[in-house]
Amino acid sequence: MYTNKEIWNVSYPIFLGLLAQNIINVTDTVFLGRVGEVELGASAMGGLFYICVFTIAFGFSTGSQIMIARRNGEGRFRDVGPVMMQGCAFLLILAVGLFGLTHAAAPSLIRLLISSDAIFDATKEFLNWRIFGFFFAFVNVMFRALYIGITRTKVLTLNAIVMAMVNVVLDYALIFGHFGLPALGLKGAAIASVIAEASSLVFFLLYTWARIDFRKYGLNHWPRFDFTLLGRILSISCFTMVQYFLAMATWFVFFVAVERLGQRQLAIANIVRSIYVVMLIPVQSLSTTANSLVSNLIGAGGVSHVMQLMGRIARMSFIIMVVCVAVLVVFPQAMLSVYTNEEALLIESVPSLYVIGGAMLIASVANIYFNGISGTGNTQAALILETVTLVIYTSYIFWIGYIVKAPVSVCFSTEVIYYALLLICSVIYLKKAKWQNKKI
């Protein structure tokens, strides 16, 4: 059974890594907020479209991470490397296919979803450059899966710092035209993100070559393409791939609904979402830790301690989030002023911040138990639970956004409903279902 200190030792590098990584999103929003509302809205729509596709790869890496963690817990270290390398090969092939598909189909799909001509043109320009990031980001997530699976998470912090620093400098240079570079505006933000992802991959390759025992983890030779092993990885990953894609697709639906309320409402939603994502980083890091430690614990024969472990992590998550929400409620305009200096936009964004504060408190517990389900290897059950929740979530979005056309602060109440349903479904599953003997 893991102690609070051991949980924290795994979690805090993931937390710092996610924090540095999210500086990329925050930087784009902060800089483009100074360029204009159209650019800010287009970066939100284009960024979400990119992430929707990227989450397919992320879902695969999560399934791989569960398998790597289980082998690590079982002491079968030499079986870790083949999972990692088969995953890299598969995701590179997937990146090529999704790049071509996105390049061909994205403009037509976005045209159907976005009503504003200005935002459509800007979103298309952003995506034309942003999708080159697939080739780097898809491999990066397999390195992330490797290091989380073997619980050597400190490298994630170092990697994310490198990526964030590259992105901040290039954002400043390419958006506004500094250091002798042209002022590219929105296109500059996309190019900066791609180069930052490339720098992240270079760092992972160099660090792994210098610090990892290749023989111990079976990384000392490149195996032939093993369709049997790939099939076992996909038997876990296919559900997380669909799950993550559906989760992000509903976010995209949310922003499509808000876009129809006007450019101002879309700008508010993008700013508030950026704060929301950053504030949830502690929850995300502890959720990832829960996923990995649950799989490691089961691999080591500690099935009877799984619920106790999840409860301990959930308490840590909730306490941290209470502090974060308190800061959010007491200093809302101070947080918003990072993104914009327009007084009216600041005032109009405050109600949405209060709504997401309530959602974050529920999310702090819901995400832990939900990710614990995936950690047991029961990714199909996790997909079913997520799908049921998202059907209700999406129905509510259509009603509140398309039919009622409620203000953006009311639209954000979808997050409260989503996490409440996710928590209820996850707890019921863990108490009632037979998940203890899942083999992977």
Side-chain angles (χ1 to χ4, degrees), residues 294-329:
V294 164
S295 192
N296 269 282
L297 188 61
I298 293 173
V303 174
S304 60
H305 298 296
V306 166
M307 289 300 294
Q308 184 182 352
L309 173 64
M310 282 192 274
R312 181 172 291 178
I313 298 174
R315 282 192 295 274
M316 292 174 65
S317 180
F318 183 74
I319 291 169
I320 292 170
M321 195 48 53
V322 167
V323 176
C324 292
V325 171
V327 173
L328 187 75
V329 171

PDB file of all heavy atoms in Angstrom, residues 294-329:
ATOM      1  N   VAL A 294      -2.625   2.261  -9.200  1.00  0.00           N
ATOM      2  CA  VAL A 294      -3.603   1.175  -9.117  1.00  0.00           C
ATOM      3  C   VAL A 294      -3.128  -0.019  -9.933  1.00  0.00           C
ATOM      4  O   VAL A 294      -3.173  -1.170  -9.480  1.00  0.00           O
ATOM      5  CB  VAL A 294      -5.002   1.641  -9.590  1.00  0.00           C
ATOM      6  CG1 VAL A 294      -5.919   0.446  -9.884  1.00  0.00           C
ATOM      7  CG2 VAL A 294      -5.649   2.534  -8.543  1.00  0.00           C
ATOM      8  N   SER A 295      -2.636   0.239 -11.141  1.00  0.00           N
ATOM      9  CA  SER A 295      -2.155  -0.849 -11.987  1.00  0.00           C
ATOM     10  C   SER A 295      -0.913  -1.507 -11.386  1.00  0.00           C
ATOM     11  O   SER A 295      -0.773  -2.730 -11.378  1.00  0.00           O
ATOM     12  CB  SER A 295      -1.853  -0.332 -13.396  1.00  0.00           C
ATOM     13  OG  SER A 295      -1.649  -1.396 -14.299  1.00  0.00           O
ATOM     14  N   ASN A 296       0.015  -0.693 -10.865  1.00  0.00           N
ATOM     15  CA  ASN A 296       1.195  -1.240 -10.197  1.00  0.00           C
ATOM     16  C   ASN A 296       0.805  -2.075  -8.978  1.00  0.00           C
ATOM     17  O   ASN A 296       1.360  -3.145  -8.735  1.00  0.00           O
ATOM     18  CB  ASN A 296       2.135  -0.110  -9.770  1.00  0.00           C
ATOM     19  CG  ASN A 296       3.181   0.243 -10.823  1.00  0.00           C
ATOM     20  OD1 ASN A 296       4.167  -0.459 -10.981  1.00  0.00           O
ATOM     21  ND2 ASN A 296       2.941   1.325 -11.550  1.00  0.00           N
ATOM     22  N   LEU A 297      -0.156  -1.573  -8.196  1.00  0.00           N
ATOM     23  CA  LEU A 297      -0.582  -2.248  -6.975  1.00  0.00           C
ATOM     24  C   LEU A 297      -1.219  -3.602  -7.288  1.00  0.00           C
ATOM     25  O   LEU A 297      -0.937  -4.606  -6.630  1.00  0.00           O
ATOM     26  CB  LEU A 297      -1.576  -1.363  -6.217  1.00  0.00           C
ATOM     27  CG  LEU A 297      -1.990  -1.810  -4.812  1.00  0.00           C
ATOM     28  CD1 LEU A 297      -0.794  -1.878  -3.879  1.00  0.00           C
ATOM     29  CD2 LEU A 297      -3.048  -0.857  -4.248  1.00  0.00           C
ATOM     30  N   ILE A 298      -2.058  -3.641  -8.316  1.00  0.00           N
ATOM     31  CA  ILE A 298      -2.681  -4.905  -8.712  1.00  0.00           C
ATOM     32  C   ILE A 298      -1.619  -5.883  -9.210  1.00  0.00           C
ATOM     33  O   ILE A 298      -1.637  -7.075  -8.894  1.00  0.00           O
ATOM     34  CB  ILE A 298      -3.763  -4.670  -9.783  1.00  0.00           C
ATOM     35  CG1 ILE A 298      -4.933  -3.884  -9.183  1.00  0.00           C
ATOM     36  CG2 ILE A 298      -4.271  -5.995 -10.345  1.00  0.00           C
ATOM     37  CD1 ILE A 298      -5.978  -3.457 -10.190  1.00  0.00           C
ATOM     38  N   GLY A 299      -0.663  -5.372  -9.995  1.00  0.00           N
ATOM     39  CA  GLY A 299       0.421  -6.223 -10.491  1.00  0.00           C
ATOM     40  C   GLY A 299       1.248  -6.822  -9.365  1.00  0.00           C
ATOM     41  O   GLY A 299       1.768  -7.934  -9.482  1.00  0.00           O
ATOM     42  N   ALA A 300       1.364  -6.093  -8.247  1.00  0.00           N
ATOM     43  CA  ALA A 300       2.133  -6.570  -7.094  1.00  0.00           C
ATOM     44  C   ALA A 300       1.280  -7.404  -6.139  1.00  0.00           C
ATOM     45  O   ALA A 300       1.751  -7.786  -5.063  1.00  0.00           O
ATOM     46  CB  ALA A 300       2.731  -5.386  -6.354  1.00  0.00           C
ATOM     47  N   GLY A 301       0.009  -7.668  -6.500  1.00  0.00           N
ATOM     48  CA  GLY A 301      -0.859  -8.516  -5.685  1.00  0.00           C
ATOM     49  C   GLY A 301      -1.624  -7.782  -4.600  1.00  0.00           C
ATOM     50  O   GLY A 301      -2.101  -8.417  -3.650  1.00  0.00           O
ATOM     51  N   GLY A 302      -1.775  -6.472  -4.728  1.00  0.00           N
ATOM     52  CA  GLY A 302      -2.440  -5.695  -3.679  1.00  0.00           C
ATOM     53  C   GLY A 302      -3.859  -5.267  -4.017  1.00  0.00           C
ATOM     54  O   GLY A 302      -4.255  -4.141  -3.707  1.00  0.00           O
ATOM     55  N   VAL A 303      -4.631  -6.149  -4.646  1.00  0.00           N
ATOM     56  CA  VAL A 303      -5.995  -5.814  -5.072  1.00  0.00           C
ATOM     57  C   VAL A 303      -6.847  -5.326  -3.896  1.00  0.00           C
ATOM     58  O   VAL A 303      -7.642  -4.393  -4.035  1.00  0.00           O
ATOM     59  CB  VAL A 303      -6.680  -7.038  -5.730  1.00  0.00           C
ATOM     60  CG1 VAL A 303      -8.144  -6.736  -6.033  1.00  0.00           C
ATOM     61  CG2 VAL A 303      -5.955  -7.423  -7.007  1.00  0.00           C
ATOM     62  N   SER A 304      -6.673  -5.919  -2.731  1.00  0.00           N
ATOM     63  CA  SER A 304      -7.512  -5.585  -1.574  1.00  0.00           C
ATOM     64  C   SER A 304      -7.288  -4.152  -1.082  1.00  0.00           C
ATOM     65  O   SER A 304      -8.108  -3.621  -0.322  1.00  0.00           O
ATOM     66  CB  SER A 304      -7.247  -6.563  -0.427  1.00  0.00           C
ATOM     67  OG  SER A 304      -5.882  -6.510  -0.029  1.00  0.00           O
ATOM     68  N   HIS A 305      -6.189  -3.532  -1.497  1.00  0.00           N
ATOM     69  CA  HIS A 305      -5.880  -2.179  -1.035  1.00  0.00           C
ATOM     70  C   HIS A 305      -6.260  -1.095  -2.050  1.00  0.00           C
ATOM     71  O   HIS A 305      -6.018   0.089  -1.808  1.00  0.00           O
ATOM     72  CB  HIS A 305      -4.389  -2.061  -0.726  1.00  0.00           C
ATOM     73  CG  HIS A 305      -3.918  -2.972   0.362  1.00  0.00           C
ATOM     74  ND1 HIS A 305      -4.368  -2.869   1.663  1.00  0.00           N
ATOM     75  CD2 HIS A 305      -3.043  -4.013   0.343  1.00  0.00           C
ATOM     76  CE1 HIS A 305      -3.789  -3.803   2.409  1.00  0.00           C
ATOM     77  NE2 HIS A 305      -2.985  -4.517   1.624  1.00  0.00           N
ATOM     78  N   VAL A 306      -6.822  -1.487  -3.188  1.00  0.00           N
ATOM     79  CA  VAL A 306      -7.082  -0.532  -4.274  1.00  0.00           C
ATOM     80  C   VAL A 306      -8.061   0.566  -3.837  1.00  0.00           C
ATOM     81  O   VAL A 306      -7.823   1.760  -4.063  1.00  0.00           O
ATOM     82  CB  VAL A 306      -7.608  -1.266  -5.528  1.00  0.00           C
ATOM     83  CG1 VAL A 306      -8.208  -0.269  -6.522  1.00  0.00           C
ATOM     84  CG2 VAL A 306      -6.480  -2.039  -6.196  1.00  0.00           C
ATOM     85  N   MET A 307      -9.186   0.205  -3.222  1.00  0.00           N
ATOM     86  CA  MET A 307     -10.181   1.205  -2.813  1.00  0.00           C
ATOM     87  C   MET A 307      -9.610   2.151  -1.758  1.00  0.00           C
ATOM     88  O   MET A 307      -9.880   3.357  -1.771  1.00  0.00           O
ATOM     89  CB  MET A 307     -11.439   0.520  -2.286  1.00  0.00           C
ATOM     90  CG  MET A 307     -12.269  -0.176  -3.364  1.00  0.00           C
ATOM     91  SD  MET A 307     -12.854   0.955  -4.662  1.00  0.00           S
ATOM     92  CE  MET A 307     -13.969   2.001  -3.742  1.00  0.00           C
ATOM     93  N   GLN A 308      -8.808   1.618  -0.866  1.00  0.00           N
ATOM     94  CA  GLN A 308      -8.170   2.455   0.148  1.00  0.00           C
ATOM     95  C   GLN A 308      -7.218   3.452  -0.499  1.00  0.00           C
ATOM     96  O   GLN A 308      -7.157   4.630  -0.114  1.00  0.00           O
ATOM     97  CB  GLN A 308      -7.411   1.572   1.136  1.00  0.00           C
ATOM     98  CG  GLN A 308      -6.785   2.341   2.297  1.00  0.00           C
ATOM     99  CD  GLN A 308      -5.987   1.433   3.226  1.00  0.00           C
ATOM    100  OE1 GLN A 308      -6.026   0.202   3.092  1.00  0.00           O
ATOM    101  NE2 GLN A 308      -5.266   2.027   4.162  1.00  0.00           N
ATOM    102  N   LEU A 309      -6.473   2.986  -1.501  1.00  0.00           N
ATOM    103  CA  LEU A 309      -5.552   3.861  -2.221  1.00  0.00           C
ATOM    104  C   LEU A 309      -6.305   4.987  -2.924  1.00  0.00           C
ATOM    105  O   LEU A 309      -5.935   6.163  -2.820  1.00  0.00           O
ATOM    106  CB  LEU A 309      -4.755   3.051  -3.250  1.00  0.00           C
ATOM    107  CG  LEU A 309      -3.866   3.853  -4.208  1.00  0.00           C
ATOM    108  CD1 LEU A 309      -2.762   4.571  -3.457  1.00  0.00           C
ATOM    109  CD2 LEU A 309      -3.274   2.943  -5.288  1.00  0.00           C
ATOM    110  N   MET A 310      -7.384   4.648  -3.623  1.00  0.00           N
ATOM    111  CA  MET A 310      -8.145   5.679  -4.331  1.00  0.00           C
ATOM    112  C   MET A 310      -8.764   6.685  -3.366  1.00  0.00           C
ATOM    113  O   MET A 310      -8.803   7.885  -3.640  1.00  0.00           O
ATOM    114  CB  MET A 310      -9.223   5.024  -5.202  1.00  0.00           C
ATOM    115  CG  MET A 310      -8.680   4.444  -6.497  1.00  0.00           C
ATOM    116  SD  MET A 310      -9.976   3.998  -7.678  1.00  0.00           S
ATOM    117  CE  MET A 310     -10.354   2.354  -7.113  1.00  0.00           C
ATOM    118  N   GLY A 311      -9.251   6.207  -2.229  1.00  0.00           N
ATOM    119  CA  GLY A 311      -9.806   7.111  -1.230  1.00  0.00           C
ATOM    120  C   GLY A 311      -8.767   8.085  -0.707  1.00  0.00           C
ATOM    121  O   GLY A 311      -9.045   9.279  -0.515  1.00  0.00           O
ATOM    122  N   ARG A 312      -7.551   7.584  -0.476  1.00  0.00           N
ATOM    123  CA  ARG A 312      -6.473   8.444   0.019  1.00  0.00           C
ATOM    124  C   ARG A 312      -6.104   9.509  -1.011  1.00  0.00           C
ATOM    125  O   ARG A 312      -5.926  10.688  -0.673  1.00  0.00           O
ATOM    126  CB  ARG A 312      -5.253   7.573   0.349  1.00  0.00           C
ATOM    127  CG  ARG A 312      -4.067   8.334   0.889  1.00  0.00           C
ATOM    128  CD  ARG A 312      -2.992   7.379   1.373  1.00  0.00           C
ATOM    129  NE  ARG A 312      -3.430   6.658   2.569  1.00  0.00           N
ATOM    130  CZ  ARG A 312      -2.695   5.724   3.180  1.00  0.00           C
ATOM    131  NH1 ARG A 312      -1.514   5.385   2.679  1.00  0.00           N
ATOM    132  NH2 ARG A 312      -3.146   5.125   4.259  1.00  0.00           N
ATOM    133  N   ILE A 313      -5.997   9.106  -2.263  1.00  0.00           N
ATOM    134  CA  ILE A 313      -5.665  10.080  -3.318  1.00  0.00           C
ATOM    135  C   ILE A 313      -6.801  11.090  -3.499  1.00  0.00           C
ATOM    136  O   ILE A 313      -6.562  12.287  -3.692  1.00  0.00           O
ATOM    137  CB  ILE A 313      -5.365   9.353  -4.648  1.00  0.00           C
ATOM    138  CG1 ILE A 313      -4.153   8.435  -4.494  1.00  0.00           C
ATOM    139  CG2 ILE A 313      -5.102  10.359  -5.767  1.00  0.00           C
ATOM    140  CD1 ILE A 313      -3.860   7.567  -5.710  1.00  0.00           C
ATOM    141  N   ALA A 314      -8.059  10.633  -3.434  1.00  0.00           N
ATOM    142  CA  ALA A 314      -9.215  11.523  -3.587  1.00  0.00           C
ATOM    143  C   ALA A 314      -9.245  12.583  -2.492  1.00  0.00           C
ATOM    144  O   ALA A 314      -9.570  13.753  -2.752  1.00  0.00           O
ATOM    145  CB  ALA A 314     -10.511  10.707  -3.579  1.00  0.00           C
ATOM    146  N   ARG A 315      -8.905  12.212  -1.256  1.00  0.00           N
ATOM    147  CA  ARG A 315      -8.878  13.192  -0.159  1.00  0.00           C
ATOM    148  C   ARG A 315      -7.809  14.252  -0.406  1.00  0.00           C
ATOM    149  O   ARG A 315      -8.050  15.453  -0.196  1.00  0.00           O
ATOM    150  CB  ARG A 315      -8.627  12.488   1.175  1.00  0.00           C
ATOM    151  CG  ARG A 315      -9.852  11.791   1.745  1.00  0.00           C
ATOM    152  CD  ARG A 315      -9.643  11.367   3.183  1.00  0.00           C
ATOM    153  NE  ARG A 315      -8.597  10.358   3.314  1.00  0.00           N
ATOM    154  CZ  ARG A 315      -8.797   9.054   3.177  1.00  0.00           C
ATOM    155  NH1 ARG A 315     -10.008   8.581   2.904  1.00  0.00           N
ATOM    156  NH2 ARG A 315      -7.789   8.203   3.311  1.00  0.00           N
ATOM    157  N   MET A 316      -6.634  13.817  -0.850  1.00  0.00           N
ATOM    158  CA  MET A 316      -5.571  14.773  -1.168  1.00  0.00           C
ATOM    159  C   MET A 316      -6.022  15.740  -2.259  1.00  0.00           C
ATOM    160  O   MET A 316      -5.818  16.957  -2.168  1.00  0.00           O
ATOM    161  CB  MET A 316      -4.320  14.020  -1.630  1.00  0.00           C
ATOM    162  CG  MET A 316      -3.642  13.201  -0.552  1.00  0.00           C
ATOM    163  SD  MET A 316      -2.263  12.195  -1.204  1.00  0.00           S
ATOM    164  CE  MET A 316      -1.129  13.482  -1.744  1.00  0.00           C
ATOM    165  N   SER A 317      -6.660  15.200  -3.280  1.00  0.00           N
ATOM    166  CA  SER A 317      -7.124  16.002  -4.410  1.00  0.00           C
ATOM    167  C   SER A 317      -8.164  17.039  -3.975  1.00  0.00           C
ATOM    168  O   SER A 317      -8.090  18.215  -4.362  1.00  0.00           O
ATOM    169  CB  SER A 317      -7.714  15.081  -5.489  1.00  0.00           C
ATOM    170  OG  SER A 317      -8.179  15.808  -6.587  1.00  0.00           O
ATOM    171  N   PHE A 318      -9.108  16.609  -3.142  1.00  0.00           N
ATOM    172  CA  PHE A 318     -10.183  17.510  -2.711  1.00  0.00           C
ATOM    173  C   PHE A 318      -9.638  18.650  -1.858  1.00  0.00           C
ATOM    174  O   PHE A 318     -10.023  19.814  -2.034  1.00  0.00           O
ATOM    175  CB  PHE A 318     -11.231  16.730  -1.929  1.00  0.00           C
ATOM    176  CG  PHE A 318     -12.416  17.569  -1.499  1.00  0.00           C
ATOM    177  CD1 PHE A 318     -13.371  17.968  -2.429  1.00  0.00           C
ATOM    178  CD2 PHE A 318     -12.563  17.974  -0.180  1.00  0.00           C
ATOM    179  CE1 PHE A 318     -14.454  18.749  -2.054  1.00  0.00           C
ATOM    180  CE2 PHE A 318     -13.633  18.751   0.210  1.00  0.00           C
ATOM    181  CZ  PHE A 318     -14.588  19.135  -0.724  1.00  0.00           C
ATOM    182  N   ILE A 319      -8.730  18.346  -0.947  1.00  0.00           N
ATOM    183  CA  ILE A 319      -8.160  19.389  -0.079  1.00  0.00           C
ATOM    184  C   ILE A 319      -7.410  20.431  -0.901  1.00  0.00           C
ATOM    185  O   ILE A 319      -7.548  21.645  -0.692  1.00  0.00           O
ATOM    186  CB  ILE A 319      -7.227  18.749   0.968  1.00  0.00           C
ATOM    187  CG1 ILE A 319      -8.051  17.923   1.963  1.00  0.00           C
ATOM    188  CG2 ILE A 319      -6.432  19.826   1.709  1.00  0.00           C
ATOM    189  CD1 ILE A 319      -7.214  17.046   2.879  1.00  0.00           C
ATOM    190  N   ILE A 320      -6.616  19.965  -1.856  1.00  0.00           N
ATOM    191  CA  ILE A 320      -5.881  20.899  -2.726  1.00  0.00           C
ATOM    192  C   ILE A 320      -6.846  21.770  -3.514  1.00  0.00           C
ATOM    193  O   ILE A 320      -6.654  22.993  -3.654  1.00  0.00           O
ATOM    194  CB  ILE A 320      -4.948  20.121  -3.681  1.00  0.00           C
ATOM    195  CG1 ILE A 320      -3.819  19.454  -2.895  1.00  0.00           C
ATOM    196  CG2 ILE A 320      -4.368  21.049  -4.756  1.00  0.00           C
ATOM    197  CD1 ILE A 320      -2.981  18.480  -3.704  1.00  0.00           C
ATOM    198  N   MET A 321      -7.928  21.165  -4.018  1.00  0.00           N
ATOM    199  CA  MET A 321      -8.860  21.917  -4.848  1.00  0.00           C
ATOM    200  C   MET A 321      -9.667  22.924  -4.040  1.00  0.00           C
ATOM    201  O   MET A 321     -10.030  23.990  -4.553  1.00  0.00           O
ATOM    202  CB  MET A 321      -9.786  20.955  -5.596  1.00  0.00           C
ATOM    203  CG  MET A 321     -10.553  21.586  -6.744  1.00  0.00           C
ATOM    204  SD  MET A 321      -9.550  22.604  -7.869  1.00  0.00           S
ATOM    205  CE  MET A 321      -8.243  21.464  -8.305  1.00  0.00           C
ATOM    206  N   VAL A 322      -9.947  22.643  -2.776  1.00  0.00           N
ATOM    207  CA  VAL A 322     -10.629  23.618  -1.915  1.00  0.00           C
ATOM    208  C   VAL A 322      -9.799  24.897  -1.825  1.00  0.00           C
ATOM    209  O   VAL A 322     -10.333  26.011  -1.918  1.00  0.00           O
ATOM    210  CB  VAL A 322     -10.884  23.025  -0.508  1.00  0.00           C
ATOM    211  CG1 VAL A 322     -11.291  24.129   0.472  1.00  0.00           C
ATOM    212  CG2 VAL A 322     -11.987  21.974  -0.563  1.00  0.00           C
ATOM    213  N   VAL A 323      -8.504  24.744  -1.669  1.00  0.00           N
ATOM    214  CA  VAL A 323      -7.606  25.901  -1.604  1.00  0.00           C
ATOM    215  C   VAL A 323      -7.617  26.664  -2.928  1.00  0.00           C
ATOM    216  O   VAL A 323      -7.710  27.901  -2.964  1.00  0.00           O
ATOM    217  CB  VAL A 323      -6.173  25.461  -1.249  1.00  0.00           C
ATOM    218  CG1 VAL A 323      -5.219  26.656  -1.286  1.00  0.00           C
ATOM    219  CG2 VAL A 323      -6.147  24.792   0.118  1.00  0.00           C
ATOM    220  N   CYS A 324      -7.536  25.935  -4.048  1.00  0.00           N
ATOM    221  CA  CYS A 324      -7.526  26.570  -5.373  1.00  0.00           C
ATOM    222  C   CYS A 324      -8.814  27.347  -5.633  1.00  0.00           C
ATOM    223  O   CYS A 324      -8.781  28.482  -6.143  1.00  0.00           O
ATOM    224  CB  CYS A 324      -7.336  25.516  -6.462  1.00  0.00           C
ATOM    225  SG  CYS A 324      -5.707  24.733  -6.476  1.00  0.00           S
ATOM    226  N   VAL A 325      -9.944  26.752  -5.294  1.00  0.00           N
ATOM    227  CA  VAL A 325     -11.236  27.414  -5.525  1.00  0.00           C
ATOM    228  C   VAL A 325     -11.378  28.634  -4.623  1.00  0.00           C
ATOM    229  O   VAL A 325     -11.935  29.664  -5.040  1.00  0.00           O
ATOM    230  CB  VAL A 325     -12.402  26.420  -5.304  1.00  0.00           C
ATOM    231  CG1 VAL A 325     -13.744  27.141  -5.311  1.00  0.00           C
ATOM    232  CG2 VAL A 325     -12.381  25.346  -6.384  1.00  0.00           C
ATOM    233  N   ALA A 326     -10.863  28.557  -3.407  1.00  0.00           N
ATOM    234  CA  ALA A 326     -10.909  29.718  -2.506  1.00  0.00           C
ATOM    235  C   ALA A 326     -10.156  30.900  -3.116  1.00  0.00           C
ATOM    236  O   ALA A 326     -10.638  32.044  -3.088  1.00  0.00           O
ATOM    237  CB  ALA A 326     -10.316  29.342  -1.149  1.00  0.00           C
ATOM    238  N   VAL A 327      -8.988  30.634  -3.687  1.00  0.00           N
ATOM    239  CA  VAL A 327      -8.216  31.692  -4.361  1.00  0.00           C
ATOM    240  C   VAL A 327      -9.002  32.242  -5.547  1.00  0.00           C
ATOM    241  O   VAL A 327      -9.047  33.462  -5.770  1.00  0.00           O
ATOM    242  CB  VAL A 327      -6.845  31.141  -4.821  1.00  0.00           C
ATOM    243  CG1 VAL A 327      -6.113  32.183  -5.676  1.00  0.00           C
ATOM    244  CG2 VAL A 327      -6.010  30.741  -3.623  1.00  0.00           C
ATOM    245  N   LEU A 328      -9.638  31.345  -6.296  1.00  0.00           N
ATOM    246  CA  LEU A 328     -10.425  31.740  -7.467  1.00  0.00           C
ATOM    247  C   LEU A 328     -11.574  32.663  -7.083  1.00  0.00           C
ATOM    248  O   LEU A 328     -11.829  33.673  -7.745  1.00  0.00           O
ATOM    249  CB  LEU A 328     -10.970  30.482  -8.148  1.00  0.00           C
ATOM    250  CG  LEU A 328     -11.688  30.649  -9.486  1.00  0.00           C
ATOM    251  CD1 LEU A 328     -10.676  30.917 -10.584  1.00  0.00           C
ATOM    252  CD2 LEU A 328     -12.484  29.391  -9.818  1.00  0.00           C
ATOM    253  N   VAL A 329     -12.261  32.343  -6.002  1.00  0.00           N
ATOM    254  CA  VAL A 329     -13.435  33.112  -5.574  1.00  0.00           C
ATOM    255  C   VAL A 329     -13.024  34.465  -4.991  1.00  0.00           C
ATOM    256  O   VAL A 329     -13.693  35.479  -5.215  1.00  0.00           O
ATOM    257  CB  VAL A 329     -14.249  32.311  -4.532  1.00  0.00           C
ATOM    258  CG1 VAL A 329     -15.338  33.170  -3.897  1.00  0.00           C
ATOM    259  CG2 VAL A 329     -14.877  31.081  -5.188  1.00  0.00           C
TER     260      VAL A 329
END
